[in-house]
Amino acid sequence: MALRALFIGGTGIISTEAARRAVAEGVEVTLLNRGQSTKRAVPDGARVIHADVRDAESVRAALGNQEFDAVVEFTAFTPEHVQADLDLFTGRTGQYVFISSASAYQTPPTHLPVVESTPLRNPFWEYSRNKIACEDLLVRTYRDTGLPMTIVRPSHTYDATLVPMDGGWTVVDRMRRGLEVVVPGDGTSRWTITHSADVAVGLVGLLGREEAIGEAFHITGDEAPSWDQIYLAMARAAGVDEPRLVHVASEAIAAADPELGAGILGDKAHTMIFDNTKLRRLVPQFSPRIPFAQGAREIVAWHDADPARRVVDPQFEALTERLLETYRPRPL
């Protein structure tokens, strides 16, 4: 009998590719979402149910008495979201999989590579602290009631739709125009970046696995280029041989834009390298195969295929110019 999986979301960077992988492996996939996203196509073979997961009654009405072998939650960001899921799905699934974040790990890390037992602490970014609080709730419930939960911590995951630098396509557009772009820090910190198709292999491999119950796994690639290398790969994919990179301290960016800075200081500013041994023991087929140089070409090709996708953010442009005016190197 095929494994039955409910994906809450199913149209995001990770969830779309995971749904496609799951269908290919014979999983009966149901996507539960509001039907408002059209950026990524629903995988052939997946069933779609429209409901707002934040409206418990609409979910109950949409799902009826259906049960699932696994419920995968891609859209929960606070403990209240998770508690609502537990109220809905306790007793109706053999496994609740919560998509957390590798940014929940100790930041900055005191030891590399990061393993699943690395402490969870991020004093810089509320997003990460909320994910930690979600995990705390799940761990307590598992200990108290035996909740069949699994925690998954992806790191920086991308697909063709996502330019992985803050500012998105604006950065690529500036490079193509021969303008300077801001790189946080000195550009040498190493950053694990993983294609969604590779993450999907690890995630789908955990579904329905009794050995994964009560456990946490990060799912990350083995490639950790420096930020300068990431910018250079995007530039070359966009046909720019010599991009004009200007390094600006992360703290300076945070002072100029606290919201943007929280994600930099709480995540991207620090070298993050991961040991995936725990996942590979349980899912030996997990073996990331897509290098970022290839991924960068996919990103540029997707954006170049439709002018409407090449969105330039005037606010980010203005922030970039202010930072450059203050921090670009000048002779003494």
Side-chain angles (χ1 to χ4, degrees):
M1 188 174 179
L3 186 143
R4 298 161 299 167
L6 175 70
F7 284 16
I8 301 175
T11 58
I13 291 171
I14 297 175
S15 59
T16 299
E17 198 63 46
R20 185 175 293 115
R21 174 83 184 188
V23 169
E25 293 194 4
V27 177
E28 292 182 5
V29 175
T30 300
L31 309 182
L32 176 72
N33 57 55
R34 293 175 296 173
Q36 296 183 349
S37 176
T38 58
K39 181 179 285 188
R40 300 171 188 87
V42 173
D44 292 338
R47 181 174 62 129
V48 181
I49 295 177
H50 290 150
D52 184 351
V53 73
R54 303 290 168 248
D55 180 349
E57 290 308 314
S58 75
V59 175
R60 290 190 179 96
L63 294 180
N65 60 359
Q66 294 179 71
E67 296 183 357
F68 301 91
D69 299 301
V71 172
V72 188
E73 172 57 273
F74 293 92
T75 67
F77 302 100
T78 68
E80 292 74 21
H81 294 163
V82 172
Q83 185 59 59
D85 281 352
L86 300 186
D87 294 341
L88 280 167
F89 297 110
T90 295
R92 298 180 62 174
T93 182
Q95 183 186 31
Y96 176 82
V97 181
F98 172 65
I99 306 301
S100 184
S101 169
S103 69
Y105 286 120
Q106 181 188 60
T107 304
T110 57
H111 296 84
L112 293 174
V114 171
V115 295
E116 282 81 358
S117 59
T118 295
L120 305 184
R121 182 177 184 271
N122 191 322
F124 303 100
W125 200 11
E126 184 179 12
Y127 167 83
S128 306
R129 293 194 295 273
N130 284 336
K131 287 289 190 180
I132 293 169
C134 292
E135 291 197 27
D136 288 344
L137 171 59
L138 289 170
V139 171
R140 287 197 306 271
T141 307
Y142 168 71
R143 289 171 177 165
D144 292 344
T145 71
L147 170 74
M149 67 82 179
T150 301
I151 294 168
V152 169
R153 301 176 186 135
S155 184
H156 195 156
T157 305
Y158 72 95
D159 66 1
T161 73
L162 180 73
V163 178
M165 299 96 78
D166 289 316
W169 186 257
T170 305
V171 177
V172 180
D173 181 76
R174 288 182 64 88
M175 290 193 290
R176 278 183 164 174
R177 286 186 281 149
L179 301 177
E180 297 161 305
V181 297
V182 169
V183 181
D186 66 1
T188 63
S189 60
R190 295 176 60 192
W191 186 246
T192 299
I193 187 164
T194 315
H195 196 288
S196 59
D198 286 327
V199 172
V201 176
L203 176 56
V204 174
L206 292 172
L207 301 185
R209 298 295 297 272
E210 184 177 357
E211 306 96 316
I213 300 301
E215 297 285 349
F217 301 84
H218 49 239
I219 305 179
T220 70
D222 300 320
E223 185 180 23
S226 71
W227 275 107
D228 272 0
Q229 289 172 326
I230 290 172
Y231 277 72
L232 288 170
M234 286 299 304
R236 289 166 183 151
V240 179
D241 292 330
E242 296 185 9
R244 300 172 66 192
L245 308 183
V246 175
H247 299 108
V248 176
S250 299
E251 292 82 0
I253 298 173
D257 188 324
E259 184 176 354
L260 177 65
I264 295 174
L265 293 176
D267 202 18
K268 301 182 181 73
H270 312 284
T271 290
M272 293 297 285
I273 300 171
F274 302 86
D275 182 341
N276 285 285
T277 299
K278 182 177 180 180
L279 177 68
R280 283 193 168 97
R281 287 195 185 111
L282 192 56
V283 187
Q285 63 269 36
F286 176 73
S287 180
R289 301 178 184 278
I290 302 174
F292 183 65
Q294 174 183 332
R297 292 192 293 271
E298 293 178 7
I299 292 167
V300 172
W302 185 87
H303 284 82
D304 279 345
D306 184 348
R309 298 170 179 170
R310 300 194 295 274
V311 177
V312 174
D313 181 351
Q315 291 185 327
F316 189 84
E317 282 253 68
L319 173 65
T320 298
E321 289 298 335
R322 292 198 304 273
L323 291 169
L324 290 169
E325 180 62 27
T326 303
Y327 295 107
R328 71 162 54 89
R330 295 176 175 86
L332 294 174

